[in-house]
Amino acid sequence: MKFKIILSLFSIFCLLSCKQDNQQKVKPKLVVGIIIDQMRYDYLTRFENRYEDDGFKRLLKNGFSLENAHYNYIPTYTAVGHSSVYTGTTPSEHGIISNNWYDKFLKKTIYCVDDENYSTIGDNSDSGKKSPNRLFTTTVTDQLQLAQNKHGKTIGIAIKDRSAILPVGHTATAAYWYNGGNFNNWITSSYYMSTLPNWVTNFNANNNADEYLNTTWNTLYDIKTYTNSRPDNSIFEGTFKGNQTPTFPKKLKELRIKNGNFDLIKSIPAGNTLTTDFAKAAIIGENLGKTDVTDFIAISYSSTDYIGHKFGPASVEIEDTYLRLDKDLANFFNFLDQQVGKDNYLVFLTADHAAVHVPAYLQSLKIAAHYLDINKFRNFILEITKKYFNSTELIENVSNYQIFLDKEKIEALGFSVNNVAQKLADEVLNFNGIYKAVTARTLQTTHFSSGILNSLQNGYNQKLSGDVLMIPYPATLIRERTGTSHGSGYSYDTHVPIIFYGNGIKKGRSSKRYNITDIAPTIANLLQIEAPNSTNGIVINEALK
């Protein structure tokens, strides 16, 4: 009798275990990748008490948050960040070394997704002559397409073309971006298709961009409650053309005339709302998350970056933008619950980089911060080559804190390229603002296992990068004294949120150090597919059920 009872209990236990195992192996019907352009990690904590329950707080409460996640390379720019999140590797491997960079083979500056082999689909502009062909490796979205023999759909959406194109890799169903100016269209490239789907055409005919612009941007709440920010009228903030001060309210209907008409929507919170509107239309129009295979939608919110550049991290504008984005996310997550089903989708949310506080603002607080005059720096480099090599013709290009040498000229004059590069690396340290400098040869022959030189090495691509690479002092920008930017390997640029939520994800948080390159292998592991082909990140096991 006891044997029968034990056997029955054992059978029940096996059935329950098998049932749980099968439940864990049910893949999400839709993966939603969200990148917020220029989101510092502390925007989660600074504004947390003002967020509503279904936006950021929903992810934090019911998902898994990495509180010490960083970018592990230089430069921290938009195209590089989006590529690294989805490839699981750094510029040293995936080949997107900046937004724009000097091409030492073509002898000109190029843009990361420009491609004259393709044409615009959606209007008669040149804004659709784009492709992902400069991305050397696969993305997790490519790997999903390969694993499912292209039975699922992958779609990229962003106001910025590079932010829509690079995440969905080479095999995407589509990538769509917004063409403002006098067009007001979501467009794509002939790389993906020959005509727009009906749902995109209908969206363009009926979208709310005009409504969003024919209004006034005022703060969501009483401006006196924005105590997490500087006073509204700050000398450290930029202004829209037509405004004398960076203050609320901002009369958009009047401002759009002097600020590129529909381009203005990029630089206000409504740009994020428009992106959400389009993402919802894509999910419905493409029937995403409704089949037996896994679909993937990669969404990037670009307006946060435009606003951050103009007004800076401590502005009322940034605080108001994130409170409004929180509402957009809450709206979108509730939409996913209804359209796809609460247990049927997986979300990860991160940023492509963060940003430094406005250096002039830091200086006003007696915190070390700097502005580098790039024209003076270029002249300084020419003085070095004149002094030591009696020539000012040895430099092809100076950009992205890199020096590209004219190797043919150097060799014709009887000098060694390595000697010239090393002399420049030694001497540029005498310029006020340059903190470290190394040659390409050093990065090829020396391994830096930690610190900021390790980040520089991870961003160095032997085929594409320059001959001398430099790092400025912390909190250094090349720009006017209002607003902010990014690009460094310092923590203010590298520390970003990473939150996983939904199907297959535990609830919790971790303060362990993780790299942004760990996202792609983690998603691949959860989906039970091969990771991107140059991934060097790790699987974040503690986030997975």
Side-chain angles (χ1 to χ4, degrees), residues 29 31 37 54 59 75 78 90 115 117 163 192 202 232 248 263 282 336 339 404 407 427 508 537:
K29 291 183 176 296
V31 180
D37 204 321
D54 276 348
L59 301 185
T78 295
T90 61
D115 196 331
N117 294 310
S163 305
Y192 303 102
N202 292 336
D232 186 29
F248 287 97
D263 275 345
L336 290 174
Q339 180 69 19
F404 293 81
K407 296 179 175 62
E427 292 295 319

Side-chain angles (χ1 to χ4, degrees), residues 23 85 87 116 146 168 249 273 295 315 332 337 388 439 456 458 469 488 528:
Q23 286 177 340
V85 167
T87 62
E116 289 293 325
L146 289 170
V168 286
T273 308
D295 297 316
S315 63
F332 185 57
D337 291 343
Y388 290 99
T439 66
L456 187 69
N458 288 337
L469 294 87
S488 80
Q528 301 169 48

Side-chain angles (χ1 to χ4, degrees), residues 128-175:
K129 293 182 175 182
K130 315 289 178 187
S131 85
N133 283 342
R134 289 194 172 95
L135 183 67
F136 293 155
T137 65
T138 63
T139 60
V140 68
T141 45
D142 283 326
Q143 296 299 149
L144 181 60
Q145 289 282 51
L146 289 170
Q148 299 183 144
N149 293 314
K150 295 204 73 175
H151 289 151
K153 295 180 179 179
T154 57
I155 294 178
I157 292 170
I159 281 178
K160 294 181 181 179
D161 48 25
R162 57 188 180 270
S163 305
I165 292 168
L166 295 169
V168 286
H170 306 271
T171 59
T173 308

Side-chain angles (χ1 to χ4, degrees), residues 160-234:
K160 294 181 181 179
D161 48 25
R162 57 188 180 270
S163 305
I165 292 168
L166 295 169
V168 286
H170 306 271
T171 59
T173 308
Y176 299 102
W177 53 97
Y178 181 70
N179 196 19
N182 293 322
F183 288 97
N184 184 29
N185 284 324
W186 288 86
I187 63 171
T188 189
S189 163
S190 58
Y191 178 89
Y192 303 102
M193 62 189 71
S194 56
T195 58
L196 289 179
N198 288 335
W199 68 265
V200 180
T201 302
N202 292 336
F203 186 94
N204 284 336
N206 301 299
N207 79 58
N208 295 318
D210 226 10
E211 179 184 336
Y212 294 148
L213 286 171
N214 288 335
T215 184
T216 297
W217 177 14
N218 213 334
T219 52
L220 190 60
Y221 306 109
D222 185 337
I223 197 167
K224 294 177 183 177
T225 67
Y226 285 69
T227 57
N228 293 309
S229 306
R230 287 188 308 257
D232 186 29
N233 193 7
S234 170

